[in-house]
Every structure is written in structure tokens, then in C-alpha cells.
């Protein structure tokens, strides 16, 4: 019996978005490595930050991530860093996302292994966050990062913010790192035929988890000024449990109250095929469908 | 610039569905071959036939198909073959289907190369069919195969049925082969909340190409006796041009005339992810969506 190939995604964020040479050196470990595929890397000068998207089998991906973190620690000095995006480290955050034949528990284990290895190799304090968090107050990345690089030395000396791995002091030039496991995020925005932002905001409050809506949905109202319309802009944080079609149909229902219609939607960036196939199966009413029937699913085994 | 990996599917049908040993020898060339993946093989004793589903890069897939055809010619004797399914050869039909980074024109070329090679290597008469057909009357497999093994010797002596490759006489034990390129087939059935087969038949006639419906849709009415309902059973012969959601919505509209509702659907066997994602994008109204946004599409590059 052939063992099924496991695939995991990693989307590390590095605090360098201006120096092309440094960015290339950081992504280098993801290139031409057996079992690892560099899908994308995008940088933003204003944020002074680079986001890398890479997929691979757990063991080689782990090696490549550890190597890239080493490069970033060597080449980025947070004491000289400025940018609009909040950050606490040269390597700011390292999320791992299960893609195929990979349980969340295994993804958490992988994130802990990487946290242990980079803290030991590079003398870095590491926080576990999201599904890997060691306490509820450490789940949310914004809470972990609050205070940023400049305030972090004082923060980690408090018992409740003691790092999960590594020394109880900031790395002088590279700060601290958050490492964790999470589900794939889908950025899904639904457009409405009104220019009234209050309506989009009001609907966002009804569909999002925070204020009484769907469990794995974050949402805000956004104005699309050039089109003269508004949208409910969502982050679907676990499409396997809160499906895209469900948030769409709920928005449609809530919009009726205002005599407003859904006129379209957007998906920003990458999306796992299952998130869309799930909605197709709902709308087409397909009975007893299995993802094993999808040709590409079989090809990736 | 890395060249994009091409993928093509082949679904050869062999006239042996009873002898396990012979079937294993025929599929053997598809196993453990670099660049080729055996997805499935199913046999039917009554039909006395085996259908193999295999995907791979054009060059190694071609080699494997030629080898499997050789095995079948060696091991199957059509003079002793009986089964319910019409057949004209030990290898009855060899369709090639473009899957990724593969144009139909390239798939036709591949089918012609395979036809040339198996006719030369095994002294087989070969007909090109479907997209590869050398004349309109040879496009339809049923027309090519009509007369079957027993009537084929007389048929190929007629000018209009002269084989495209190989000798103008039947192979004594292996008969003749049809080779061609076609789009992926999706078997899509839509269930109705009535037990009246006439209604399913009538709707089938309205949605299928043959009698005035959608260009790439074949359809018949079918009774699901155990559930007390009927269905419109379809073969979608090119989902890139006749989408699944379009046939579904057309059936819904036609069913209204009878006060009948669509209550569900079925997809039988394998389906390319694009066929379903296309319907998700329609129902969710996603603007400017690109298949390049699908994670699995990027992984397969």
C-alpha cells in the first residue's frame, strides 16, 4: 500500500520589502528543493514586508523554512526597520496550513518542531499562536504582536507573555517570531448594488462570528468608490466548516431588508479547489459526492 | 522560464473482463512508470471488457499505451470473445483527453502518433475517430464500430471504411482499433420529483444537442425505480463550452412546465475540477476569476 503524500503550505512573512537582493537570498532555500514548491512571493515597499507562499511535503518544507529564517535573521536588522505594517521580528510570523492528507494535529506538531529548531539554532524567542497556541490569550496574532519590536523586550519579561521556545529576551536585531498552524484563509468579498456603506457594515455585523454570525467568518463593510457600490469583505477562516455559499446566501437574505441585491463577488488570491467545489456541489445539488471523484485530487495522491 | 508540464489522460478499453491474470498483464505497463499514473481500472464480466484510466505526460504515456496494446494483442483472442458490449478489437478504443497545458491539436497529434506506432508494431488496422477523425462519418465511435469484429473484415474492404493506419485487413485475433482525441466527458444526471418517465424523456429532448438543445450535451430520460423518481441522464461532452450549471438551469426551466422540481443530481465517476469550479464561479457570481487562483492548479504546474 502506497502511503499518501502529505502536503502542507507555509506563508512566512519577512520584515524586508525594499532590498531586492536580501529578499532573493531569503527565498533562495525554497527554490529547486525536492518536495518543495515556491508558489509566490510578494513584497510591499510601504509595508517594508515580504509574504512568501510555499507548499511542500512536511520534512523538506521544514528544512527550507528553517534555512530561510536563518537567512532573514542574518540579513535583516529590525533596529533599522520602518514600515506601515505592525511587526515584532525579522521573521514576523510563520503560519503552517494543512493542504492534503494532513491533519490539523500533525500541522500543529510541525509548527512546534519548526519553533523548537529556529529558537535553538538562531537564539530566537518564539511564540506559538492560532491552533498551536499554548493558551487562549495567545491564539490571536494581533494580541501576540501588540507592542511590536520596540515594546517586546518589556512584554516578554511578563509571565503571561513568556515565549514558548527560546530565550526570555528579544533577539537584538531579529526580535521575536510567531509560529503556528491554521486553516487556509479564503478572502471572499460580496458586492451589493448600493453605495451606502452603512448597509454593508450592518450586513457584515450579521454574518461575522464576532457579532453573532457564522463561526468561521470575519467581515467588514468596504466602499468600492470607483464603482459606486459597497461590499461585504470577508475572511473565511475555515471553509470546511463555514462554506462560501453559506455566507453568500446569508448576505443575500440580509440585503433584502434594505431592498438591496447581491451583484457579484470576488475571491482575492489563492483558494483551495475544495472551497469552490463545495459550493458547486451545493448549488448543483449533487448527491453523495466525494472529493475522490475530482481528477486533480487523484493526480495529487 | 520553466516549461509547463503537460498532462493527458487515456481511457483505453480492452476486450477482457473475466481473466484477472490477463487484465493484470495488460495494465502492468502503466504501473511504476515515471511520468505516468494509473488512476483506475474496472472490468465487467457481462461486458467482458476492462476500462483503464491513466494520466501522464505525453511521451511516457504514449510508450505505456503502446506497450499495453501489445500485451492485449498478444493475450486476447477475439475469435473466442463474447460479451454484451459491442467491440471490434482486442483493444477496442483508445481515447486521449487533454488535461493540462495541452491543446486539442496536440492531443490529436499524439493520437495519430499512437495509431501509427501500434499499426506498424502489431500489424493492426486503426481508425481515427472523434476529434482525430479523417472524415465526418468516422467521428462517431458507434458508426466506426458498427458490424463489430465479426463484420469488420467485409466493412474495411469498402473504400469509405479503409483504415487510417495499418493493413486493409482485420488482424486475425485482435481485430481493429479506434484511436482518437476527445474532450473529457462528465456524466451528470439531474433528478426530478416525479415518477413519470415521459417528463424526463421530454426534458432530455429539449436540453440535448441532437434534438435542439445544448451543443455539448447528450441526454436521455431514466427511471430510478427504487426511489420512485426519474432523472435526465446526461453526458456533457465539452464542459468548457456547455457548462454543467447551464444544463441544470435549463432542466429546471423546462420542468416548470410540468409543475416538476429538480430535487438533486449525480456526478458519476471522475470529473475535472474545472467543471465544478466553473459552476461555483457562476452561482457565487465571482468576477474576474482565474483558474490560476486555484491552489491545486498551481501545485500541478
Amino acid at each position: 500500500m502506497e502511503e499518501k503524500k502529505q502536503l502542507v503550505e507555509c506563508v512566512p512573512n519577512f520584515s524586508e520589502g525594499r532590498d531586492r537582493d536580501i529578499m532573493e537570498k531569503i527565498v533562495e532555500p525554497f527554490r529547486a528543493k525536492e518536495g518543495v514548491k515556491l508558489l509566490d512571493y510578494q513584497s510591499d515597499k510601504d509595508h517594508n514586508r515580504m509574504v512568501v507562499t510555499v507548499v511542500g511535503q512536511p520534512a523538506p518544507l521544514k528544512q527550507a523554512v528553517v534555512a530561510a529564517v536563518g537567512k532573514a535573521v542574518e540579513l535583516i536588522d529590525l533596529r533599522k526597520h520602518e514600515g506601515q505594517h505592525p511587526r515584532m521580528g525579522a521573521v514576523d510570523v510563520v503560519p503552517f496550513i494543512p493542504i492534503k492528507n494532513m491533519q490539523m494535529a500533525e500541522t500543529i506538531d510541525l509548527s512546534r518542531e519548526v519553533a523548537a529548531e529556529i529558537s535553538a539554532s538562531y537564539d530566537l524567542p518564539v511564540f506559538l499562536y492560532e491552533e498551536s497556541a499554548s493558551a487562549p490569550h495567545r491564539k490571536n496574532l494581533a494580541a501576540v504582536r501588540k507592542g511590536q519590536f520596540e515594546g517586546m523586550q518589556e512584554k516578554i519579561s511578563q509571565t503571561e507573555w513568556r515565549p514558548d521556545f527560546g530565550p526570555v529576551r528579544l533577539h537584538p536585531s531579529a526580535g521575536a517570531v510567531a509560529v503556528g498552524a491554521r486553516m487556509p484563509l479564503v478572502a471572499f468579498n460580496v458586492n451589493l448594488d448600493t453605495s451606502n456603506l452603512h448597509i454593508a457594515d450592518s450586513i457584515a455585523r450579521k454574518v461575522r462570528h464576532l457579532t453573532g454570525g457564522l463561526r468561521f467568518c470575519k467581515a467588514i463593510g468596504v466602499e468600492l468608490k470607483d464603482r459606486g457600490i459597497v461590499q461585504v469583505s470577508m475572511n473565511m477562516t475555515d471553509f470546511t466548516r463555514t462554506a462560501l455559499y453559506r455566507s453568500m446566501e446569508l448576505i443575500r437574505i440580509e440585503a433584502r431588508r434594505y431592498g438591496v441585491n447581491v451583484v457579484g463577488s470576488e475571491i482575492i488570491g489563492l483558494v483551495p479547489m475544495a472551497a469552490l467545489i463545495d459550493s458547486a456541489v451545493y448549488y448543483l445539488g449533487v448527491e453523495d459526492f466525494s472529493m475522490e471523484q475530482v481528477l486533480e485530487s487523484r493526480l495529487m495522491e
Side-chain angles (χ1 to χ4, degrees), chain A residues 158-173:
Chain A
Q158 301 164 29
T159 318
E160 72 264 40
W161 289 109
R162 191 185 165 88
D164 291 287
F165 290 91
V168 190
R169 52 165 174 66
L170 218 55
H171 185 288
S173 60

Side-chain angles (χ1 to χ4, degrees), chain A residues 11-151:
Chain A
V11 190
N13 287 216
F14 300 94
S15 295
E16 177 59 64
R18 294 171 187 170
D19 187 320
R20 188 48 57 194
D21 185 50
I22 290 177
M23 291 190 276
E24 287 300 330
K25 282 182 177 143
I26 292 170
V27 299
E28 214 280 323
F30 299 120
R31 291 190 195 277
K33 181 161 175 68
E34 188 72 35
V36 171
K37 194 169 171 67
L38 176 63
L39 294 185
D40 194 30
Y41 57 114
Q42 291 191 345
S43 55
D44 184 292
K45 283 198 171 67
D46 296 330
H47 287 182
N48 199 5
R49 190 178 180 89
M50 168 171 68
V51 179
V52 176
T53 306
V54 60
V55 173
Q57 295 171 254
L61 182 65
K62 178 177 136 184
Q63 284 179 3
V65 169
V66 170
V69 168
K71 273 287 156 206
V73 170
E74 181 193 328
L75 299 172
I76 299 173
D77 188 343
L78 261 247
R79 288 167 296 196
K80 299 173 190 161
H81 182 273
E82 50 179 35
Q84 286 171 11
H85 199 288
R87 78 285 176 275
M88 62 178 185
V91 184
D92 200 48
V93 55
V94 184
F96 288 93
I97 301 130
I99 298 296
K100 198 164 170 66
N101 299 324
M102 189 89 182
Q103 299 296 314
M104 180 51 83
E106 296 170 289
T107 313
I108 293 170
D109 287 347
L110 178 66
S111 74
R112 295 181 65 95
E113 287 168 30
V114 168
E117 199 160 328
I118 62 174
S119 65
S121 301
Y122 311 121
D123 205 27
L124 283 171
V126 179
F127 295 99
L128 296 172
Y129 83 113
E130 276 290 344
E131 299 294 321
S132 307
S134 56
H137 71 282
R138 293 174 177 228
K139 224 168 130 62
N140 189 319
L141 178 64
V144 173
R145 193 163 51 197
K146 198 175 173 189
Q148 297 194 50
F149 176 68
E150 290 73 11

Side-chain angles (χ1 to χ4, degrees), chain A residues 27 40 59 109 167 231 233 251 258 282-283 293:
Chain A
V27 299
D40 194 30
D109 287 347
Q231 72 180 189
S233 177
I251 290 169
Y258 307 99
Y282 168 76
Y283 286 111
Q293 290 179 253

Side-chain angles (χ1 to χ4, degrees), chain A residues 195-247:
Chain A
S195 59
N196 188 336
L197 183 58
H198 293 298
I199 293 176
D201 271 331
S202 157
I203 294 173
R205 279 193 295 276
K206 280 154 188 156
V207 301
R208 73 183 173 205
H209 181 240
L210 189 67
T211 44
L214 298 164
R215 174 69 185 90
F216 296 100
C217 176
K218 298 177 177 182
I220 53 170
V222 167
E223 223 175 331
L224 303 186
K225 281 205 173 122
D226 53 332
R227 293 178 62 181
I229 62 172
V230 296
Q231 72 180 189
V232 180
S233 177
M234 295 181 286
N235 265 331
M236 307 301 293
T237 58
D238 184 352
F239 69 82
T240 65
R241 290 186 279 180
T242 299
L244 269 60
Y245 71 82
R246 200 173 310 139
S247 64

